[in-house]
Amino acid sequence: MAQSIKRKVEEGEWLWTPRPDFAKASHVARYMDWLDRKKHRSFEDYDALWRWSVSEPEDFWASIWEYFDVQSDQPYLRVLDRRVMPGGKWFEGSLVNYAEHLLRHETRAAPGETVFHHCSEVRPLARMDWQTLGRQVRILATQMRAMGVEPGDRVVSYMPNVPETAVAMMATVAIGAIWSSAAPEFGVQTVVDRFAQIEPKLLFAADGYRFGGKDFKREAEVRKIIDALPTLKQVIWLDYLNPGTPAPRLANVVRWAELIEQPDVPREEFRFTRVPYDHPIWIVFSSGTTGLPKAIVHSHVGVLLEHLKLMHFHLNMKPGGAMFFYSTTGWMMWNLLLAALLTGSAAVLYDGNPAHPNPDFLWQLAADTRTTSFGASPTFVQMMEKAGLRPGEKFDLSALESIVVAGAPSTPETFDWFYRAVKKDLWVTSQSGGTEICSGFVGASPTLPVHAGEIQTRMLGMDVHAWRDDGTEAPAGEVAELVATTPFPSMPVCFWNDTDGKRYHEAYFDVFPGVWRHGDFIKINERGGCYIYGRSDSTLNRFGVRIGTAEIYRTVEQIPEVADSLIVCCELPGGKFFMPLFLKLKPGAALDNGLRDRINAALRENCSPRHVPDRIYTVEQIPYTLTGKKMEIPVRKILMGWPLAKAASRDAMMNPSAIDWFVRFAQESIDYQWRAGAA
């Protein structure tokens, strides 16, 4: 197979610097000017601002409250009662509502101003304006109150990424009920594993969805989910896949259209339920590759303060802008996408296969909606690059200002592709955080330059460091554990049903007491740029040397014949290790000695001899979770002899059949005779 020639991009290589007018007009620059004028606090650059935000967190978060004019029924008693993790109380005494702030721009928006651009494989591209959104939220919230939904009740959703789901979320939050969502592609058991834990009162459900041109009906699945949730009192049915069809014959079911066609509730008469500082806004779940997913509870005030900061200062969204991120409703990135409304920006909603009907469909969508911020996972970017796409030559992307890459570590080549194939004057950003905080720890600033593969900075208010195993700070440039040493508002309030806080503590505080250990490996260089090297719990520990899987993927997936890869390291008796590399090859490629030698040589040269695998195998598919993460830990467990049922949940997989090869491999391969003591 002929090898393509491409410029080698060095990690940390300079790629872009913001224009002076772009940086000066940014939200973070305006905030720094406000601090200077109103608070007599002057900062020479972003780094100085960050250092103040983490050394004086009470002053910083109080300034966020004041700068964005957070609405509360009464003043808060204090910003933070004590600097402890977990257990610190943020803005105790306040009474706020997140949905009220999401919809605040409705009163400022011009008639007909767009809040949602939306399309799917079922529906053509359309728009919803701010006035329609506000009216539908008020109507639905009022109807839910009439159904007996009260503050603290759980409301769950099994719906696609369409405006109705966004309306349902906002209406739920508006009345103080607690929202939780699962994507319709989730299997029954995956949904039940989540929702049964939180005992919901009301379910929003759609009749199905379309993906890759194929219809997936969901009535049978919804019936099974309802049967498994005895606390349900009401079902609201959306005839999305087959509009106009009647709702199924179920107890207490009502069609979406019947509710939303009820009389309008005037804005001045509607009352948002403002709730205390620790009142839950939603429950999000960990990926759930093994065991019951963690039910993570966030608060209105914590999410509101964090999202105001994130959307303005780190994503620079503004009125007239449009934010797109490819996500399903089962991923916290969907929550973040809707948070763009806090800035007066529109959100672009898409439900379907990102490469259907054409591989560059999402770029057409970006052009048609005048998207200003385009977001996707590194896996999607890799697919576009391997397909040879050059969107900047085909589409009008003149409105596009920034790229948000999230969901997995990004490589220097990912960054470089955007500048080569999309646009030269582009703020390409990578972010890293998690479901646990519904935001990011490290991310972007519109005032800083972009370097290849590098996350620009630590986010304001996030006291992030790289710590060695002994709890000491790693020097600049050394890979170590990502920790946060100062409390921040978007920490989970608790895990649902974790009455003594044991699971919460074990998840983040069992290694370094009082310090948040996130479970990622990070490197912070001398200029404050950050690199994420994958999950520390999936790190390859070979003869006492820890190897980040992202380093290997970056090298291996630059080999022209390689379409995708996965690597794990299994501990053997006697202190030995077995580190196999699994490859999905491009059509027409074959794993021969020449390809093996080139892969091993590249790993030895670009990484180290310890990065060279013990064996290389080819597979038809690399298994991924529904949120696009390679399933390294479940594969490792399977190869170590775990039964599939305990190692992974099929319903939590993007491609469930991909795991079967690894099950057979573990059972049949002679390489695993060591489990019986042969090695």
Side-chain angles (χ1 to χ4, degrees):
M1 176 178 289
Q3 296 187 42
S4 61
I5 300 174
K6 186 173 66 175
R7 181 179 76 91
K8 181 176 175 58
V9 186
E10 298 295 335
E11 182 180 271
E13 179 180 333
W14 172 88
L15 295 175
W16 178 85
T17 295
R19 301 184 315 274
D21 61 320
F22 180 82
K24 186 176 181 180
S26 68
H27 283 297
V28 71
R30 293 175 178 176
Y31 169 63
M32 292 172 72
D33 180 64
W34 178 84
L35 286 172
D36 190 15
R37 289 184 292 105
K38 298 291 187 179
K39 302 298 179 183
H40 307 293
R41 291 186 177 274
S42 180
F43 302 99
E44 61 180 354
D45 55 20
Y46 178 89
D47 185 63
L49 178 66
W50 173 79
R51 293 186 183 281
W52 168 71
S53 76
V54 297
S55 63
E56 302 293 338
E58 295 86 357
D59 289 348
F60 168 70
W61 290 107
S63 78
I64 297 297
W65 183 285
E66 182 179 350
Y67 184 74
F68 291 110
D69 189 25
V70 171
Q71 299 297 296
S72 173
D73 274 352
Q74 59 192 36
Y76 56 82
L77 300 176
R78 61 188 68 84
V79 176
L80 176 63
D81 67 332
R82 54 201 175 112
R83 292 190 192 181
V84 298
M85 290 189 286
K89 298 177 181 179
W90 288 95
F91 296 95
E92 191 176 3
S94 64
L95 295 170
V96 303
N97 187 282
Y98 180 78
E100 180 178 7
H101 290 80
L102 280 181
L103 293 168
R104 190 156 56 166
H105 188 70
E106 181 193 355
T107 60
R108 308 166 187 163
E113 182 181 333
T114 300
V115 63
F116 291 141
H117 301 275
H118 57 95
C119 73
S120 70
E121 293 191 29
V122 176
R123 298 170 174 173
L125 181 61
R127 301 185 308 110
M128 177 183 282
D129 60 41
W130 281 91
Q131 292 78 23
T132 300
L133 174 63
R135 182 175 66 254
Q136 290 193 3
V137 169
R138 291 190 294 273
I139 291 172
L140 183 59
T142 301
Q143 294 300 314
M144 292 170 67
R145 281 170 169 159
M147 292 173 181
V149 179
E150 299 177 345
D153 286 341
R154 276 75 66 203
V155 173
V156 295
S157 167
Y158 192 52
M159 302 253 283
N161 185 11
V162 292
E164 289 91 339
T165 313
V167 170
M169 185 274 275
M170 294 182 205
T172 299
V173 173
I175 63 175
I178 305 170
W179 172 262
S180 193
S181 177
E185 65 267 23
F186 284 15
V188 171
Q189 193 57 52
T190 293
V191 177
V192 172
D193 284 347
R194 285 158 166 75
F195 291 168
Q197 295 185 59
I198 63 176
E199 300 178 308
K201 177 181 275 189
L202 186 150
L203 167 69
F204 288 94
D207 60 352
Y209 66 99
R210 185 173 296 157
F211 190 88
K214 182 180 179 182
D215 286 354
F216 294 86
K217 297 181 179 180
R218 277 295 182 259
E219 181 177 332
E221 285 78 4
V222 171
R223 289 180 180 274
K224 292 177 182 177
I225 291 167
I226 292 172
D227 288 343
L229 300 176
T231 58
L232 279 179
K233 304 297 183 184
Q234 186 74 53
V235 177
I236 298 177
W237 184 259
L238 176 65
D239 49 335
Y240 163 71
L241 188 60
N242 295 291
T245 56
R249 294 185 178 180
L250 298 166
N252 300 316
V253 62
V254 60
R255 291 177 66 244
W256 173 276
E258 295 176 19
L259 292 179
I260 220 67
E261 291 170 0
Q262 296 297 316
D264 187 13
V265 180
R267 186 188 307 126
E268 58 274 12
E269 295 181 11
F270 182 81
R271 292 291 178 267
F272 291 90
T273 301
R274 293 181 176 176
V275 295
Y277 73 98
D278 59 349
H279 187 87
I281 177 175
W282 53 49
I283 299 170
V284 291
F285 292 89
S286 61
S287 58
T289 52
T290 61
L292 281 179
K294 298 188 292 288
I296 301 166
V297 182
H298 291 125
S299 70
H300 281 247
V301 73
V303 169
L304 175 59
L305 270 289
E306 175 59 33
H307 285 182
L308 284 168
K309 179 207 73 176
L310 173 75
M311 285 292 154
H312 288 85
F313 299 156
H314 299 290
L315 296 178
N316 204 38
M317 298 306 301
K318 299 176 180 179
M323 180 177 177
F324 168 78
F325 197 97
Y326 179 73
S327 177
T328 72
T329 54
W331 187 16
M332 70 92 178
M333 289 305 300
W334 181 81
N335 304 59
L336 281 186
L337 176 60
L338 297 184
L341 275 60
L342 291 170
T343 70
S345 175
V348 182
L349 311 179
Y350 173 69
D351 193 75
N353 187 320
H356 182 83
N358 304 304
D360 55 8
F361 172 77
L362 292 186
W363 293 106
Q364 177 70 65
L365 180 63
D368 292 344
T369 58
R370 303 287 293 169
T371 288
T372 55
S373 177
F374 182 96
S377 69
T379 304
F380 176 63
V381 175
Q382 183 184 73
M383 179 194 75
M384 292 185 288
E385 181 176 14
K386 290 181 181 295
L389 301 183
R390 299 188 67 85
E393 297 176 0
K394 186 175 179 181
F395 304 107
D396 176 8
L397 300 175
S398 56
L400 187 64
E401 294 183 345
S402 65
I403 298 292
V404 178
V405 185
S410 295
T411 66
E413 291 77 17
T414 296
F415 279 46
D416 185 57
W417 179 83
F418 283 108
Y419 290 106
R420 288 186 292 106
V422 178
K423 199 174 182 179
K424 289 185 178 179
D425 185 13
L426 195 61
W427 178 33
V428 177
T429 77
S430 180
Q431 324 279 328
S432 187
T435 300
E436 299 89 341
I437 63 170
C438 208
S439 185
F441 283 112
V442 292
S445 172
T447 62
L448 298 176
V450 171
H451 297 85
E454 184 173 307
I455 299 172
Q456 286 178 294
T457 187
R458 289 169 278 193
M459 290 188 179
L460 297 176
M462 296 298 190
D463 198 5
V464 171
H465 300 271
W467 274 19
R468 291 171 167 170
D469 288 345
D470 61 1
T472 60
E473 184 112 11
E478 181 177 308
V479 178
E481 291 275 359
L482 189 162
V483 301
T485 58
T486 301
F488 49 94
S490 64
M491 291 173 57
V493 177
C494 62
F495 288 175
W496 196 261
N497 287 334
D498 182 29
T499 53
D500 60 0
K502 181 180 179 182
R503 291 188 70 201
Y504 186 12
H505 186 274
E506 289 176 348
Y508 311 112
F509 302 102
D510 62 338
V511 175
F512 304 119
V515 172
W516 179 290
R517 172 186 171 270
H518 192 58
D520 279 348
F521 274 135
I522 187 173
K523 178 178 75 177
I524 305 173
N525 61 26
E526 291 181 352
R527 62 172 166 259
C530 304
Y531 296 84
I532 298 294
Y533 289 96
R535 299 292 295 172
S536 57
D537 50 9
S538 64
T539 299
L540 312 174
N541 189 339
R542 207 175 189 203
F543 303 104
V545 176
R546 296 190 301 194
I547 300 170
T549 56
E551 301 171 80
I552 291 178
Y553 297 144
R554 182 195 173 195
T555 296
V556 169
E557 291 170 15
Q558 291 302 304
I559 305 293
E561 294 90 338
V562 177
D564 204 353
S565 62
L566 183 141
I567 193 163
V568 297
C569 189
C570 302
E571 296 83 4
L572 281 69
K576 298 179 180 180
F577 301 88
F578 180 68
M579 192 168 82
L581 171 65
F582 303 97
L583 304 177
K584 176 185 176 183
L585 298 179
K586 292 181 179 178
L591 181 60
D592 54 22
N593 289 335
L595 179 56
R596 287 190 181 91
D597 290 345
R598 280 194 287 121
I599 290 172
N600 291 338
L603 287 169
R604 190 176 290 107
E605 178 181 352
N606 296 332
C607 301
S608 80
R610 294 185 184 273
H611 289 70
V612 176
D614 294 307
R615 292 281 185 91
I616 303 177
Y617 303 90
T618 59
V619 297
E620 292 184 0
Q621 301 180 77
I622 299 298
Y624 281 85
T625 67
L626 287 168
T627 56
K629 292 181 171 60
K630 296 184 183 188
M631 298 181 64
E632 297 160 331
I633 299 172
V635 166
R636 177 183 169 274
K637 288 181 176 180
I638 288 170
L639 301 191
M640 293 288 290
W642 287 47
L644 175 60
K646 291 186 176 181
S649 167
R650 286 187 183 276
D651 287 342
M653 300 180 201
M654 183 183 297
N655 48 351
S657 62
I659 204 71
D660 295 332
W661 187 94
F662 293 92
V663 173
R664 293 193 301 270
F665 179 82
Q667 294 171 344
E668 300 170 3
S669 175
I670 59 173
D671 290 316
Y672 285 85
Q673 290 182 359
W674 54 265
R675 281 208 305 267

